[in-house]
Amino acid sequence: MLGPSGRKILNRKALMTLEIFLPFWGDPALLREAVESVLAQDSPNWELTVVDDCYPDETVPEYFASLKDPRVHYVRNETNQGITENYRTCLSMATAELVVLMGCDDVMHPNYVSLIQQAHKDHPEAAIIQPGVQVIDETGAVVKSLADAVKDRIASPRTESPVVLSGEDLAVSLLRGNWLYWPSLAFKRDSVMKVEFRDGLPIVQDLALVIDMALRDESLLYVPTLAFSYRRHSASASAATLLDGSRFRGDREYAAIARQLTLEKGWPRAARAARMRLLSRAHALSLLPQAAAIRSTRALKTVIRHAFGA
């Protein structure tokens, strides 16, 4: 049966299907690699919808026209929406119980869908599922920056078994240092649809959304089994905005919002974590040598202000 948009409505009585949305603006070659990683899943119970945000390359629609898998859908926006609005577009199309907003240059390991399905079966109460993730560069080589090492060794849960986090404990953990990898997350559709993406926070909107869900008493399941490769470009949006101050400014603006929200919720430890921003400050300190190397007074002031300011 087809819905108003012409997309197939999933049979909820059948084995749970994971609905993967892929908002696209970027390198068509990496997009194809991302799509091929979905096609290579060891579970057949998935659907993929690519939402092209008017990327100017005719080979993209041609590629999808050549695919014969009925589980793959291609949609092109009439106008360029930008990433946050395209996220909203993707979620507005969702019908399945579980939804993923995959990065258009990331790679699912063959076990991703089956791992998420099993995790949901074992912990149906969890509204968010974070699988194990490795970081890759532009070439696909596994890399580990200082920031990623901190995520793995300090910020993220130290466990070899799945663990559910919720309430103030979840908020404290994420506000101390955001250890999530947004494109790898799976969400319960009904839960994520109850919150909104916050405008004006393009770099930290993932953290803001998850904290808003935590404030609604939703829980997160962390499954440490490796199932996803997150691609970090040396010139990514988050990396490029570090030394010019916009990334740190976004961190501070959201920290103030989170502090107020958690105080209103009656979570003093979370409010303190938002005020301290320990790992964000440490990240700024780690960039001091880079700022000094480029001999930029502005860059030095930026990282020092973030590391030691209010």
Side-chain angles (χ1 to χ4, degrees), residues 249-298:
R249 186 165 54 251
D251 281 352
R252 291 193 299 273
E253 289 174 357
Y254 179 66
I257 294 171
R259 183 169 183 266
Q260 183 61 37
L261 291 172
T262 50
L263 283 173
E264 293 172 357
K265 181 72 172 179
W267 288 353
R269 292 187 296 116
R272 186 164 57 251
R275 179 175 60 84
M276 296 298 292
R277 325 188 297 276
L278 290 177
L279 293 185
S280 183
R281 293 177 189 269
H283 190 192
L285 284 174
S286 73
L287 293 174
L288 275 174
Q290 186 176 346
I294 63 175
R295 299 181 180 181
S296 169
T297 301
R298 179 185 177 187

Side-chain angles (χ1 to χ4, degrees), residues 142-182:
V142 177
V143 295
K144 180 159 289 188
S145 68
L146 177 60
D148 293 313
V150 169
K151 274 190 177 188
D152 293 345
R153 298 177 185 178
I154 300 177
S156 64
R158 301 294 295 162
T159 178
E160 296 181 359
S161 303
V163 61
V164 176
L165 300 172
S166 62
E168 188 172 15
D169 288 341
L170 173 58
V172 169
S173 178
L174 294 176
L175 292 171
R176 183 182 295 129
N178 182 12
W179 47 270
L180 301 177
Y181 289 93
W182 165 259

Side-chain angles (χ1 to χ4, degrees), residues 17-23 30-50 71-72 98-117 129-136 140 181-187 225-231:
T17 297
L18 184 66
E19 198 167 15
I20 304 162
F21 286 92
L22 203 161
L30 295 181
L31 169 67
R32 291 191 290 271
E33 185 177 350
V35 171
E36 294 297 329
S37 77
V38 178
L39 292 170
Q41 291 299 299
D42 61 19
S43 168
N45 300 300
W46 53 265
E47 289 206 358
L48 171 66
T49 299
V50 175
R71 297 169 297 177
V72 179
L98 286 183
V99 178
V100 175
L101 294 172
M102 183 183 179
C104 63
D105 55 0
D106 298 318
V107 177
M108 286 182 173
H109 295 202
N111 65 330
Y112 178 87
V113 170
S114 57
L115 181 145
I116 296 296
Q117 291 169 332
I129 302 172
Q130 170 68 78
V133 174
Q134 67 182 9
V135 179
I136 58 176
Y181 289 93
W182 165 259
S184 71
L185 298 177
F187 295 92
T225 303
L226 181 62
F228 196 91
S229 289
Y230 172 80
R231 196 180 304 271

Side-chain angles (χ1 to χ4, degrees), residues 10-18 43-46 117 121:
L10 302 175
N11 180 0
R12 302 300 175 81
K13 295 183 179 180
L15 183 62
M16 190 275 295
T17 297
L18 184 66
S43 168
N45 300 300
W46 53 265
Q117 291 169 332
K121 180 179 178 182

